Amino acid sequence: MPQIISLSPENAMARLVPHILEMESAAHGQRIAIGLAGGPGTGKSTLAAELVTMLNALKPGSAALVPMDGFHMKHAKIEAMGETDRKGAPHTFEGAQFVSFLHHLKHASEAVSGPGYSRKIEDTVDNAFTVQPNVKVLVVEGNYLLLTEGPWAGVRSLLDYAVFIHVPRELVRQRLLKRHGEEGLFSEERNRAHIERNDLPNYDLVEQSRERADVVFELDVAQ
C-alpha cells in the first residue's frame, strides 16, 4: 500500500525534489522515470511542469517533461471510430505506442522528440518536445500510468517512482467546467454533458489505480 500524505502543492514539491535528486544520484548515470498520475482536473500537468522547472533550476538540463496526452489518437481516427463522445477514455489513446516510446526514452542516448496535445485544436501535435541526451530524469505525467488494463499495464514497470495526485471529485468537476469554458470550443451545455459522461467516469477509473503508486498526495488546494 502506498504512503498517503495530505499536503499543499508547494509542500508536495518540497518533498519530491530532494527525493528525486537522491534517486538520480543513486542511479549512477542511468535515466530514471518519475510518474505523476491522477484523474483529469487534478492539476498533475501543472505540478509536473513545476517539478521539471525546479529540477532544472538545481541541475540545468537534467529533467524533461514527458506528457501522456500526446498519445491521444488523432481526432480524425476517433471520429472514424464513432468515439468522439468518449474521447479521453483509455481506449482512445495509443497506449501501446506510449509504452514503447517510454521504454525507448529510458535507454536512448540520442535526442528523442515526442508528441503533445493541444486543447486549442483538440488534437495531437507532432514533435512537441525533445528529450536531450543529457537528461537523467523523465517526469512522466498522465491519467492512466497506473492502470492494469490493456497496454497501460506496461507503464508501471517503467516508472522508478510513482506519485498519485488526488483532488476531491467535486472540485475536479468545477475545475473541468472552468477549463472547458476557457477553451471556448463548445457550449456550456455540451461541456457539462461531456464532463458527466466522460471526464468524471475517467476520474473514477483512475482513482481505482492509486494503490499501485509509491505515494499518494492528497492535495489541499483552492479552486
Side-chain angles (χ1 to χ4, degrees):
M1 293 290 290
Q3 183 182 17
I4 301 174
I5 307 172
S6 297
L7 73 183
S8 68
E10 293 77 16
N11 286 337
M13 290 296 103
R15 279 179 173 268
L16 277 177
V17 169
H19 183 67
I20 293 170
L21 291 176
E22 288 180 8
M23 290 182 64
E24 180 191 358
S25 177
H28 303 295
Q30 298 297 310
R31 271 187 181 161
I32 60 172
I34 309 298
L36 267 64
T42 55
K44 63 191 176 302
S45 300
T46 300
L47 286 174
E50 290 176 354
L51 180 57
V52 170
T53 298
M54 294 177 73
L55 291 169
N56 283 332
L58 294 169
K59 299 182 72 173
S62 65
L65 181 63
V66 182
M68 185 203 82
D69 271 1
F71 290 84
H72 269 87
M73 290 177 178
K74 286 290 188 182
H75 189 76
K77 182 176 179 178
I78 297 173
E79 282 186 324
M81 293 166 55
E83 290 290 306
T84 53
D85 286 346
R86 294 289 290 129
K87 186 173 182 178
H91 69 280
T92 65
F93 283 79
E94 306 287 5
Q97 289 184 23
F98 176 68
V99 173
S100 177
F101 178 77
L102 185 55
H103 182 273
H104 176 63
L105 264 187
K106 286 202 71 177
H107 302 94
S109 58
E110 75 283 3
V112 179
S113 294
Y117 187 82
S118 170
R119 293 196 180 107
K120 297 300 181 184
I121 63 171
E122 291 279 318
D123 214 341
T124 57
V125 179
D126 293 336
N127 300 320
F129 68 93
T130 300
V131 177
Q132 299 296 340
N134 59 323
V135 166
K136 298 303 179 186
V137 180
L138 305 172
V139 178
V140 186
E141 173 269 315
N143 294 345
Y144 304 132
L145 306 184
L146 304 180
L147 295 192
T148 57
E149 296 82 10
W152 301 107
V155 177
R156 182 63 182 93
S157 64
L158 297 172
L159 302 177
D160 298 278
Y161 191 68
V163 181
F164 189 91
I165 307 298
H166 170 80
V167 171
R169 195 175 192 269
E170 182 55 36
L171 179 55
V172 163
R173 176 188 279 111
Q174 295 169 21
R175 284 181 168 184
L176 291 172
L177 278 169
K178 181 179 180 182
R179 176 196 292 176
H180 288 308
E182 289 173 346
E183 288 156 11
L185 293 178
F186 302 103
S187 67
E188 181 177 347
E189 181 180 4
R190 179 270 179 195
N191 291 338
R192 286 185 180 277
H194 184 79
I195 289 165
E196 298 299 329
R197 181 180 59 246
N198 197 43
D199 291 337
L200 291 178
N202 292 341
Y203 169 93
D204 294 338
L205 173 66
V206 170
E207 281 285 322
Q208 296 173 25
S209 71
R210 61 187 282 169
E211 292 185 359
R212 301 189 75 210
D214 294 296
V215 63
V216 175
F217 287 161
E218 295 186 339
L219 295 186
D220 178 13
V221 292
Q223 181 176 343

